[in-house]
């Protein structure tokens, strides 16, 4: 497989309390979101699926429009990235939402924190405060 034919991009990586205006709103994941729920819960509602995740779980939403409801105390690590072929075809199918327990060895968490640390050094100040939904 020739990975040079892939378009890869980290859109953002942040750890934060969910802003009040983003607790209950629509989501249109053109790129690939992945959230580690650090505190609280989230419920994603699609026309054909409802999925919940709680503290200590990763949630990777499927492709398509959804409504999300976070609890008022929600804190997440939010990653958004792009992984597709140069012809714009997605690298992998996203036909269902995945909920995964954060591994006990902390490997996924450590990688996410490293991405957050790196993105914090390169993301324009105020960027996330301007986003109404992620």
């Amino acid at each position: 497989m020739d990975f040079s034919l892939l378009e890869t991009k980290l859109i953002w990586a942040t750890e934060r309390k969910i802003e009040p205006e983003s607790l209950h709103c629509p989501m249109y994941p053109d790129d690939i979101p992945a959230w580690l729920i650090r505190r609280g819960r989230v419920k994603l509602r699609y026309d054909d699926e409802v999925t919940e995740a709680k503290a200590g779980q990763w949630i990777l939403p499927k492709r398509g429009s959804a409504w999300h409801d976070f609890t008022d105390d929600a804190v997440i690590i939010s990653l958004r990235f792009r992984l597709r072929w140069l012809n714009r075809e997605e690298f992998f199918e996203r036909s269902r939402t995945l909920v995964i327990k954060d591994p006990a060895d902390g490997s996924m968490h450590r990688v996410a924190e490293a991405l957050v640390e790196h993105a914090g050094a390169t993301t324009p100040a105020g960027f996330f405060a301007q986003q109404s939904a992620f």
Side-chain angles (χ1 to χ4, degrees), residues 40-90:
R41 304 175 77 83
V42 65
K43 182 184 286 189
L44 287 179
R45 299 169 200 257
Y46 292 86
D47 289 340
D48 62 344
E49 175 185 287
V50 176
T51 306
E52 292 187 52
K54 61 184 179 182
Q57 294 179 321
W58 283 91
I59 185 167
L60 291 91
K62 71 179 187 176
R63 182 175 256 331
S65 299
W67 183 268
H68 65 65
D69 291 300
F70 284 96
T71 56
D72 292 345
D73 64 340
V75 174
I76 66 170
I77 290 181
S78 176
L79 308 176
R80 183 166 294 229
F81 60 96
R82 186 170 300 151
L83 182 61
R84 61 186 180 195
W85 298 107
L86 294 179
N87 67 2
R88 303 181 69 82
E89 182 181 327
E90 296 293 328

Side-chain angles (χ1 to χ4, degrees), residues 29-43:
D30 288 331
D31 294 304
I32 303 168
W35 303 329
L36 172 60
I37 310 301
R38 303 270 295 170
R39 187 173 64 214
R41 304 175 77 83
V42 65
K43 182 184 286 189

